[in-house]
Structures are given as structure tokens and as C-alpha cells.
Amino acid sequence: MAAFLYRMGRLAFRRRWTVALVWAAVLAAVGLAGMTAPEAEEEPFSMPGIESQEAFDLMEERFPGAAADGATARVVFVSPNGEKVTAAENKKAVEAAIAELADGTQVVSTVDPYESGAVSEDGSTAYTTVTYKVDAAGLTDASRGHLDESLEHARDSGLTVEAGGDAMEDMGGPSGTAEAIGVSVAAVVLLITFGSLAAAGLPLLTALIGVGISLFAITALAGPLGLADTTSTVAIMLGLAVGIDYALFIVSRYREERAKGRTAQEAVALATGTAGSAVVFAGLTVVIALAGLSVVGIPMLTEMGLGAAGAVVVGVLIALTLVPAFLGFWPNAILTRKDRKARRAGGTPRETRKVNGGTRWASFVLRRPLPVLLAAVAGLGALALPMTDLQLGMPGDEAKSTQTTQRRAYDALAEGFGPGFNGPLTVVVDARDADDPKAAAETVSERIGGTEGVVSVSPAQFNESGDTAVFSVVPTTAPTGQETKDLVNTIRGDRPGIESEAGATFEVTGTTAMNIDVSEKVQSALVPYLLVVVGLAVILLLVVFRSILIPLKAAAGFLLSVLASLGAVVVVFQQGHGADLLGVETTGPIMSLMPIFLVGIVFGLAMDYEVFLVSRMREAYVHGERPAQAVTSGFQHSARVVVAAALIMIAVFSGFIGDSDAMIKMIGFGLASAVLLDAFVVRMAIVPAVLALLGERAWWLPKWLDRILPRVDVEGEALTRPTGPEAEPAEKDLART
């Protein structure tokens, strides 16, 4: 591996114009494809293999056109000062508002609350549903403006008027603020780390090129594949973070080799052969973790994982080819000011100091390995404790800020009609094989209506064929409450008896049931996913480090950091501690997809730091250093760069905390906290402490396994062997260069 990458780096240096032009052509081609691609029609969220999805599919089949994805707005009217909405003056204002809402150019229908019975028992609240011809993304600015104006005119009558529904969602694209914040902080960190504008700018430039290629490629494929907006957002997030980090490691190793007096071409080749090997395997662990999301069976997660994995692959390829090419354009500009001055004076730069912050910290840990290990594990364990209170769900309008009209509409409906009104269950009765479909549907309705926890059941509506019925069930409790989940499980548990009595089958669906099913599917998929991803990564690390204990230690450290980061997410987003500092005004269940997606990304990034840090220790060890000395050498050369890389990732991920999308906000916070804990606690404290306690045993590998495993030479041993008659052909070739 090292020999191959050595030659690749040298070739990229010598053919730098060709390499740069090829990447420029790739960027131009995918850019043109992305800009000319038709606008993607985002497919509705689906979850194969769960009851609520099967019921929804049955509705679409038996009620063609009824389940159309046209946008809706549910407008709520609340009378002032204890008055009733049925009073003559208020009723007139409500009817005028409904008439104005119906005048919208894209409006299909509105419902009169006085005719449909959409008035609360105390007469304080009424609502109407506005249905549009197109989905939320297809609403024009004129339609949205008309809706807002109608609401304002209704408020002028003295009524409290709020609106929810997907027609009220902001469909604007990402503003780019998060990316700008991340890039700005990354630039500062790189400048401090390298002390050179050129050295700081090169990783940023190559990372932005990689992100541009990935983003344009996803945009071009979004239409044919129906990719969601979050696919590109996550790809940008990870592509930017790893793109900067991978280039950072190549540039850092290049400067180190130049400080030893090597020529620019030789330094580039050696940097690509050694640090580049770590980049390849670190990137592979990230790709495995992201692509592994496909095994969960959730299309949205699969899209996000594969999109982000593609961005990581682009980042690795750019680090191995374009970064060496750019180093060929500016071989000395990357060096520090003192090194450039020394070269102009005809001397050679001084080699990196033997004692720095990394060596001092490593020496501290090596003197006290057990206390450091116990303190780090105890701290992460304490942070992970809130995980025991984790509640999964798919928060809706109730999780929005009280400053939004959607949240106020949600609260008004809950107060006027009961908390369960915002999350009704939908029951689909398949009476195709029943002797009397109407009697069968009525039996199902009566039995479910008599279940404890049900407020009301709506009249059944049949399709044109008369063989399928649909009715709504309003629970007594809120959509995200545990009691509602228990109610759904109770109804489904009573199914055999109900179906036997009715002579027809039924299924439960609706947004609330869908959220419950999604949460359960994600929880059941988490362990198999971990087994697949961690198993593959442990095998990969076994090949990289040729050790049994180091991959196991890496996996254990990952579990600690991911559990602690999930605990932090629970503390902020579910329990509300410190939520105001992050702009989280409302707390609630953690997004169902959040834990498994966080696990996938954090695992890949955790292995990143493991490979970068421990590969340098392995390099020192195979070159003859004692285990403790190898740990110190690894920290001497890698600690500062790993810290800089972690700070850059934290900055990039933290920028997404300000995103309006709840899942992106959670992912940004979760990833930032996970990187913080993994880089500074697990890799900087637990790793050296464990290696100090293990000593020579850390690098032990059974002889039979040593013979089986392929040799990839990540540490670049072949690049430093002396040549001679016994040398391998590849090594002779390297020596000649």
C-alpha cells in the first residue's frame, strides 16, 4: 500500500498540471450536470416492512386519488374573552376567512367547520382544512402570500387565528450559514496550526473542490433517484469535515519530511505513502459505517449514508492526488516562515522539535496510566447515563418554537379538542372477503372505540368498490406520549379477536402510528447494524495494525464516546438542560433516525482518529522503538494535527446546530459532542493509557493469523528499508527514486 501510494504521490507531483486539469474537468462536468438537471421531485417518506406503511399503501391502492400528496393547511380559530366561535359576529368572521382562503389559485377545497362539526364542545375553538392542488414544494409564492394575508385579515376581526400543516413549512433551501461558519473556524485553526496562509488555505481549497463535486453530483442524481434535501446537507457536512482533515494530514507530513531536508518531490511521495495510507484506511472505515446504513432498510437513511459515503470517497481521492499536485505548484509556500527563510539563505529547515505539547501529554499519561484511564471512563460513563431515559419519536409541530404559528395552532387544537386530536390514528379495514363489508367495518369501529384511551371514532368512509373502509381514532393522550404508544399496541394486540368477530382484517396507520413503528424498527435494527459495521471495521483495523487488542480497544472506545454523545443529546434536546444556549426552545423525543445515523457517522470518525494516531505509533514501533517510546513518538508527530483536525470537525458540525431542520440540528450537536469526546478523551487519554498498561502485548498477533492476513504496510516500512540483493523489486524502485 505505502509503495503504491508513494508512486502515486510522486506521479501527481510530477504531472501536477495534468492532475489539476483532470479535477477541474470533473468539477466542470458534474457542475454542468447539476445546474442543468431538472428539479427533483422529492418522494414521500416511506418505511418498508412496517404495518403503518402497509396500511398506507393499501389506502393508496383502494382509494386512488384520495391519498394524493397535495399540501394542506389547518387553520384554527379561537374566540376572544370567553366568547364562542358560534356567536353571530365570530361566525361571520370565520366564514369570511374561509371564503377568502378558498379564493387561492392553487386551492382545491376548504371545509366549513359549522357543517362538518369541527367546533369544540365548549364552543371556543373551530378549525378548517385548506387543501391544495400541489404538494408543499409546488406551492407558489403567491399562494403562500395569499394564505398569510388571509390569516392576517381574519386576525383583524379580533379572533386568534393560527395555522399548521405542511403548507406552512418553509421550503427554502439551505442558507449556507452553517458551512460558512465551519469554514471560517477551520481557516483560523489551520492558520494557527501551520502558521502559514498557504498551508492553511490548501486544505480548505481542496476540501471545497471535493464538496463542490459531491454536491453537484447529488444534485444531478436527485431527480432520477428522488433524493431528499438532507442527502446533500449531510454530504456537505461530512465531505467538508473529512476533506479538510485528510488534506491536513498529508500537508502536515509533507512539512515534516521537508524539515528533515528532503526534496519537495521526495517529501510529497513519502507523505502520500505514509499519511496517505492512513487516509485510505480511515476513509474506508467511514465509508463502511455510512454505507452500512443500507442494512437498516430505511430508504431515507440509505440515501443519506450513500450520499455522504460518496463525498468521503471524493475527499480521499482528492487528498491522494490533488493535494500532492498543489504541493508541486507551491512546494515552499507551504513551509513556515522560518523554514522558507532558511532555504533562501541556502540552509535547510530545522527538524521538528523532539519535545512538544504532544510528548509532554504522552509522558504524563504514561506515568499515570491507571488513574487517567479510570477518570476518563468514569467521566464518559456519567455522560452516558441519561441514555437510559432515551425516548424516540418523530417530533412534529409540538416540537417547534412557541413563536411559530404552527406550534400555537397545535396548542390551540389540543386545548379545544384534547391532546390526542393532533395525532389521530387511521384504521384501514379490508373487507373484501367479508359477507357484509359495512357490518364488518362497523364491528371493527365499535370494538376499537370501546378500547380504554380512545376518545372518539369517526364514521367509516368506504371506497367506490365498497370493500375497504377508513376511519379515524382520536386518543386521549398526545401523539408522542407513552400512553398513545401503549394504545396502538393494545389495538393491534386485540386484532385476532376483532378480526375473527368482524370477518375482515384491519391495519393501523397515520402519522402517529408511523412514528411509533419507525422508532421500533430503528431500535430493532441498531444491534444488527452495530454487529455488521463494527465487525467489518475491526477486521479492517486488524489488517492495518496487525494486532488483536488494538482493534478491540478502538471499538470499546467508540462505544464509550457514542453513548456519551447520545447522553448529551438527551440532556439538551429531551431534558432541556442548556437548550436555550443552543436555540432549542422546545424539547421532546429524540428523532427516531438520529441514534442510528449518529452511531454510523461517529464510528467512522472515531476510527479516523484511531488510524491517524495509532498508525504513527505503529510506524515508530516497527522501526525499532519500545512500546512506551512509540506512544510518545506517535503523540509527538500526530497529537497537534489530530487536535487541529478535531477542532475543525467540531467547528463544521457545530455550524449545523443553527439549521432549521430538527434532525440536522440534532445531528450537528451530536457529532460535535461526539468528536469532542472521542478525540480529546478517548484517543488522547484512554488510548495512550491502555497502550501503556498493555506494553508489548498491545502489538501481539498470533503467528497463524499473521500468516493469513495480507500485508498492507500502512506504516511505510518498505519506504525506509535499505536496498540490497535481498530487497523486493518495489523497494529497489523506491530506493532509486
Side-chain angles (χ1 to χ4, degrees):
M1 172 66 74
F4 171 76
L5 293 177
Y6 176 98
R7 287 191 281 268
M8 178 185 290
R10 185 182 60 181
L11 182 64
F13 182 94
R14 295 172 60 186
R15 300 284 187 267
R16 47 191 172 271
W17 278 108
T18 302
V19 172
L21 289 174
V22 167
W23 279 111
V26 171
L27 179 60
V30 295
L32 181 62
M35 288 186 289
T36 58
E39 188 173 348
E41 294 184 5
E42 190 170 326
E43 296 182 358
F45 179 82
S46 64
M47 181 73 66
I50 60 176
E51 178 178 327
S52 51
Q53 184 65 52
E54 293 170 357
F56 183 80
D57 294 341
L58 180 62
M59 286 176 59
E60 287 196 320
E61 176 189 341
R62 303 285 178 86
F63 293 84
D69 56 355
T72 59
R74 189 151 64 172
V75 181
V76 186
F77 305 93
V78 181
S79 57
N81 304 322
E83 298 177 9
K84 298 189 181 296
V85 289
T86 53
E89 194 68 23
N90 292 332
K91 183 177 181 180
K92 181 179 178 181
V94 170
E95 290 175 339
I98 293 173
E100 184 176 357
L101 287 166
D103 281 342
T105 55
Q106 293 181 299
V107 173
V108 175
S109 65
T110 56
V111 179
D112 188 327
Y114 303 103
E115 295 180 0
S116 63
V119 179
S120 62
E121 287 186 9
D122 61 4
S124 65
T125 309
Y127 71 90
T128 184
T129 301
V130 183
T131 305
Y132 291 87
K133 300 175 183 177
V134 295
D135 61 13
L139 286 177
T140 63
D141 291 339
S143 291
R144 293 181 183 277
H146 175 265
L147 175 58
D148 292 337
E149 288 177 7
S150 300
L151 298 180
E152 287 300 325
H153 293 162
R155 290 177 184 129
D156 292 340
S157 67
L159 295 170
T160 298
V161 185
E162 308 295 349
D166 57 357
M168 299 299 298
E169 296 294 334
D170 180 11
M171 304 305 293
S175 64
T177 303
E179 295 88 335
I181 293 173
V183 170
S184 300
V185 176
V188 174
V189 172
L190 288 169
L191 189 58
I192 295 173
T193 302
F194 286 130
S196 163
L197 284 173
L202 192 148
L204 286 174
L205 176 61
T206 54
L208 289 174
I209 291 173
V211 167
I213 291 172
S214 302
L215 182 59
F216 282 129
I218 290 173
T219 303
L221 295 173
L225 301 181
L227 302 180
D229 291 339
T230 48
T231 303
S232 59
T233 304
V234 175
I236 292 172
M237 185 191 298
L238 281 177
L240 191 60
V242 302
I244 294 174
D245 279 5
Y246 293 165
L248 168 65
F249 278 93
I250 300 289
V251 173
S252 177
R253 187 61 184 258
Y254 168 79
R255 283 169 45 127
E256 183 183 325
E257 297 299 334
R258 290 297 302 274
K260 295 177 181 178
R262 302 189 192 278
T263 64
Q265 178 174 307
E266 181 69 7
V268 166
L270 285 171
T272 309
T274 52
S277 298
V279 165
V280 168
F281 283 96
L284 276 176
T285 59
V286 180
V287 169
I288 287 173
L290 292 170
L293 290 168
S294 304
V295 305
V296 180
I298 301 175
M300 180 181 177
L301 274 182
T302 301
E303 293 172 6
M304 294 167 68
L306 293 179
V312 172
V313 170
V314 171
V316 170
L317 293 176
I318 283 182
L320 298 178
T321 56
L322 190 58
V323 170
F326 280 175
L327 289 173
F329 287 120
W330 304 287
N332 294 328
I334 302 298
L335 306 179
T336 64
R337 184 178 300 175
K338 289 183 179 179
D339 289 349
R340 294 197 302 272
K341 185 176 180 181
R343 288 187 177 277
R344 284 195 297 268
T348 57
R350 294 178 301 166
E351 190 172 346
T352 306
R353 292 178 300 170
K354 294 295 182 184
V355 178
N356 57 22
T359 57
R360 285 191 289 271
W361 172 250
S363 299
F364 171 81
V365 176
L366 291 173
R367 288 195 302 269
R368 307 168 183 82
L370 192 57
V372 169
L373 177 62
L374 293 176
V377 171
L380 292 176
L383 281 174
L385 277 178
M387 262 287 293
T388 58
D389 188 38
L390 176 67
Q391 297 175 9
L392 296 182
M394 297 289 282
D397 287 345
E398 79 280 0
K400 289 183 167 63
S401 166
T402 52
Q403 307 266 327
T404 64
T405 185
Q406 296 99 314
R407 170 59 187 276
R408 293 195 295 269
Y410 178 95
D411 292 340
L413 287 170
E415 184 176 350
F417 296 89
F421 186 81
N422 283 296
L425 307 175
T426 301
V427 177
V428 186
V429 181
D430 185 356
R432 177 170 287 182
D433 298 327
D435 296 331
D436 187 347
K438 290 188 177 180
E442 185 176 346
T443 300
V444 174
S445 176
E446 288 177 355
R447 287 288 305 272
I448 292 177
T451 305
E452 184 179 355
V454 173
V455 174
S456 63
V457 175
S458 69
Q461 295 182 348
F462 283 83
N463 62 345
E464 290 184 5
S465 302
D467 59 6
T468 307
V470 174
F471 59 87
S472 295
V473 179
V474 178
T476 59
T477 52
T480 57
Q482 180 61 38
E483 298 87 348
T484 305
K485 180 179 178 181
D486 294 338
L487 173 62
V488 172
N489 291 332
T490 298
I491 293 173
R492 289 172 173 171
D494 294 340
R495 183 178 4 234
I498 298 175
E499 290 182 343
S500 176
E501 181 181 343
T505 62
F506 73 89
E507 293 175 316
V508 182
T509 186
T511 303
T512 301
M514 177 73 78
N515 293 342
I516 292 170
D517 290 347
V518 169
S519 299
E520 291 181 350
K521 178 165 184 175
V522 169
Q523 285 178 311
S524 63
L526 187 56
V527 172
Y529 171 70
L530 278 173
L531 290 176
V532 171
V533 173
V534 174
L536 289 174
V538 165
I539 293 172
L540 185 64
L541 293 178
L542 191 65
V543 173
V544 173
F545 296 125
R546 309 195 72 76
S547 161
I548 291 286
L549 296 179
I550 285 180
L552 296 178
K553 168 195 61 65
F558 151 72
L559 289 175
L560 279 173
S561 59
V562 77
L563 289 175
S565 62
L566 282 172
V569 170
V570 170
V571 167
V572 175
F573 289 89
Q574 183 176 306
Q575 298 177 350
H577 302 295
D580 291 343
L581 299 176
L582 300 178
V584 181
E585 298 185 19
T586 307
T587 58
I590 304 303
M591 298 284 288
S592 298
L593 304 182
M594 166 67 180
I596 199 164
F597 190 72
L598 183 67
V599 165
I601 297 179
V602 171
F603 182 79
L605 299 182
M607 296 305 103
D608 256 9
Y609 296 121
E610 181 75 11
V611 171
F612 286 138
L613 187 61
V614 181
S615 65
R616 202 60 195 265
M617 299 177 189
R618 169 77 181 173
E619 182 179 340
Y621 178 75
V622 299
H623 290 158
E625 294 187 8
R626 301 295 299 165
Q629 187 182 2
V631 172
T632 303
S633 295
F635 269 81
Q636 174 200 344
H637 295 294
S638 298
R640 180 171 177 167
V641 181
V642 168
V643 168
L647 290 175
I648 289 169
M649 280 200 176
I650 292 169
V652 171
F653 296 145
S654 296
F656 287 86
I657 295 175
D659 196 282
S660 59
D661 186 281
M663 185 171 182
I664 297 299
K665 182 188 287 286
M666 283 188 190
I667 289 176
F669 175 80
L671 288 178
S673 59
V675 170
L676 175 68
L677 296 172
D678 193 85
F680 292 99
V681 180
V682 175
R683 308 306 154 189
M684 290 293 170
I686 292 179
V687 166
V690 171
L691 291 178
L693 292 171
L694 291 176
E696 290 279 358
R697 291 172 302 222
W699 307 103
W700 173 76
L701 184 70
K703 291 183 179 179
W704 64 268
L705 189 56
D706 185 53
R707 290 192 296 269
I708 295 174
L709 292 178
R711 294 187 176 274
V712 294
D713 190 23
V714 176
E715 61 276 356
E717 187 179 4
L719 306 182
T720 56
R721 289 176 186 165
T723 57
E726 72 284 358
E728 296 293 332
E731 295 166 18
K732 292 181 179 180
D733 179 60
L734 293 174
R736 286 195 297 270
T737 59

